Structures are given as structure tokens and as C-alpha cells.
């Protein structure tokens, strides 16, 4: 996965991937924003409210959101209506929230959230709730906007690709770093192999303790 690919780098990154005989599997726009209000209550007010049950991290975090017209393979609608595209002047903007974050924020269908995007206020309406499979290693999001609203906003891209060997992956990472110093690249295969190794050791330790206990 390549992170922080800028708009003007998209074609050059795609050309580099093609030169290594790997194609772009997925290209996802990411727009960073912060939560400003929940159901007309300012976040600052909620954070000072000692009776609020909304977790502090959900109020303070930087929300990395995306926009698209279709659902991803890792998600499904469990309530409400999915909006594929709206006009640029739509108010409020119908968005889709992930089920867990909706519960943490205490919102449901029809509730309004206000986001702040570099000083610009975005009033949104929870139009649908999604269930997301977070175990699938691909870009997933708490908030998904419809097409037609965020296209001109400051954004970067996450690009997902696949290499057939560890050597090809290493060569590709080296080329990306040399040509695009701002782009971060994560080898998910290496991450998974490391996790598998750690879990195998944990499993062995648990079996040893179990045998010791039995003895």
C-alpha cells in the first residue's frame, strides 16, 4: 500500500508500477477533516461535559474520510440508504457512517454531524450505516461521502498494488522511495508474516504452559 500519493503524482506512480509489471489494484482518495459538532452540540462543549459517554478519542481524532459512488468489498449497508452522488451544493451532505463509530458518537440515521475541513464547515446527515470488515487489509473508513462534494478538496491517495515476489516488492519499494520521497510504502505481506510468526510463538508458549499445568 502506497500512502500520501499527491494528485499530481498519480499518473507518474501508475507509470512506475506499470514499468515493474504490476498494476494499480485500487486507488483511494483520502480527505482529512475534524469533527466540529454532533447534533448541533459543539465538540468543545461535549469534551467538557463530564456526563458525556462519547470517547475522547472519537472527538479529538483526525478523520481520514473518502468519497465514492459504490460500496467496497469489505462493507455492507445495515441501515438507511446509500447515496452514490449528490450536487456540489447539497445541504446537508448525506454520508455513510461505520456502525462502530456511529455507536461511539451516539448518532443514528437522520442525525447531523458537522465536520471542519481546513476552516470550511461541512454539515452532513447520517444517511446510512455500514458494517465494515476491519480484518481485511485494505483502506477502510469511518465516514464515506458521496461523489460530487469533496473532489476539489485538498486530498491525497492510497494506492494498493500486488507484487508476485518479495524481491520484486523490495525493488519496487526502492524505486518508489527514490522517485517519490513523500510517499510511504508498506509491504502487507511482510506485516502478515511477522504477525504470523509472533502468533505462532504465542501459541507455542500457551501450549507449553498448558502442558506444565497438566503435569
Amino acid at each position: 500500500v502506497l500512502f500520501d500519493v499527491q494528485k499530481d503524482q498519480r499518473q507518474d506512480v501508475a507509470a512506475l508500477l506499470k514499468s515493474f509489471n504490476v498494476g494499480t489494484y485500487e486507488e483511494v482518495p483520502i480527505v482529512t477533516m475534524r469533527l466540529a459538532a454532533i447534533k448541533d452540540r459543539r465538540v468543545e462543549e461535549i469534551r467538557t461535559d463530564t456526563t458525556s459517554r462519547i470517547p475522547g478519542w472519537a472527538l479529538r481524532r483526525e478523520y481520514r474520510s473518502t468519497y465514492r459512488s459504490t460500496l467496497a468489498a469489505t462493507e455492507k449497508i445495515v441501515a438507511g440508504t446509500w447515496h452514490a452522488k449528490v450536487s456540489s451544493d447539497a445541504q446537508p451532505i448525506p454520508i455513510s457512517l461505520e456502525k462502530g463509530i456511529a455507536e461511539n458518537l451516539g448518532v443514528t440515521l437522520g442525525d447531523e454531524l458537522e465536520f471542519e475541513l481546513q476552516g470550511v464547515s461541512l454539515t452532513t446527515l447520517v444517511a446510512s450505516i455500514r458494517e465494515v470488515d476491519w480484518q481485511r487489509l485494505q483502506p477502510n473508513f469511518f465516514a464515506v461521502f458521496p461523489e460530487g462534494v469533496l473532489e476539489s478538496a485538498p486530498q491525497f491517495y492510497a494506492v494498493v498494488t500486488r507484487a508476485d515476489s518479495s524481491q520484486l516488492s523490495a525493488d519496487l519499494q526502492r524505486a518508489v522511495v527514490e522517485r517519490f520521497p513523500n510517499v510511504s510504502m508498506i509491504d502487507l505481506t511482510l506485516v502478515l508474516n511477522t504477525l504470523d510468526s509472533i502468533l505462532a510463538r504465542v501459541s507455542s508458549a500457551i501450549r507449553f504452559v498448558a502442558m506444565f499445568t497438566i503435569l
Side-chain angles (χ1 to χ4, degrees):
V1 182
L2 289 75
F3 291 100
D4 205 21
V5 177
Q6 301 301 308
K7 258 187 175 182
D8 58 356
Q9 294 176 321
R10 291 168 62 191
Q11 291 185 353
D12 291 336
V13 168
L16 178 61
L17 295 179
K18 188 175 180 180
S19 70
F20 279 82
N21 292 320
V22 296
T24 300
Y25 171 70
E26 190 176 9
E27 188 179 72
V28 184
I30 299 175
V31 182
T32 58
M33 57 188 68
R34 292 194 177 276
L35 194 59
I38 303 173
K39 293 187 285 189
D40 293 329
R41 288 189 70 194
R42 305 301 297 177
V43 164
E44 293 80 5
E45 176 190 345
I46 299 173
R47 289 179 62 181
T48 58
D49 184 358
T50 57
T51 64
S52 174
R53 296 185 177 181
I54 301 176
W57 65 265
L59 299 172
R60 296 189 302 267
R61 67 169 288 118
E62 184 178 64
Y63 283 80
R64 294 192 168 188
S65 306
T66 192
Y67 58 89
R68 46 180 152 81
S69 61
T70 58
L71 286 169
T74 56
E75 55 192 13
K76 64 179 179 179
I77 297 293
V78 294
T81 303
W82 173 265
H83 289 257
K85 190 172 184 177
V86 297
S87 62
S88 59
D89 58 351
Q91 288 291 332
I93 305 165
I95 64 170
S96 181
L97 275 190
E98 186 268 336
K99 181 181 177 182
I101 196 65
E103 292 172 351
N104 281 320
L105 295 176
V107 296
T108 186
L109 298 178
D111 288 337
E112 289 192 355
L113 296 173
E114 182 184 332
F115 289 94
E116 187 176 281
L117 172 58
Q118 294 193 1
V120 178
S121 175
L122 299 174
T123 302
T124 68
L125 177 77
V126 181
S128 67
I129 305 242
R130 290 167 297 117
E131 194 171 80
V132 177
D133 182 3
W134 294 100
Q135 295 183 2
R136 294 276 295 275
L137 291 178
Q138 68 179 65
N140 290 309
F141 299 88
F142 284 141
V144 176
F145 283 68
E147 291 184 350
V149 178
L150 297 179
E151 281 80 354
S152 60
Q155 59 195 269
F156 62 91
Y157 290 79
V159 176
V160 183
T161 188
R162 181 181 178 85
D164 293 330
S165 68
S166 57
Q167 183 59 52
L168 178 59
S169 176
D171 293 341
L172 179 58
Q173 289 184 67
R174 191 177 305 108
V176 168
V177 170
E178 289 175 354
R179 289 194 55 184
F180 310 102
N182 64 293
V183 175
S184 301
M185 191 171 180
I186 299 176
D187 186 343
L188 295 182
T189 301
L190 181 60
V191 173
L192 290 174
N193 289 341
T194 303
L195 287 175
D196 186 56
S197 175
I198 293 172
L199 292 175
R201 293 181 183 180
V202 170
S203 178
S204 297
I206 291 174
R207 284 198 299 269
F208 174 78
V209 171
M211 291 176 62
F212 181 79
T213 304
I214 291 171
L215 290 173

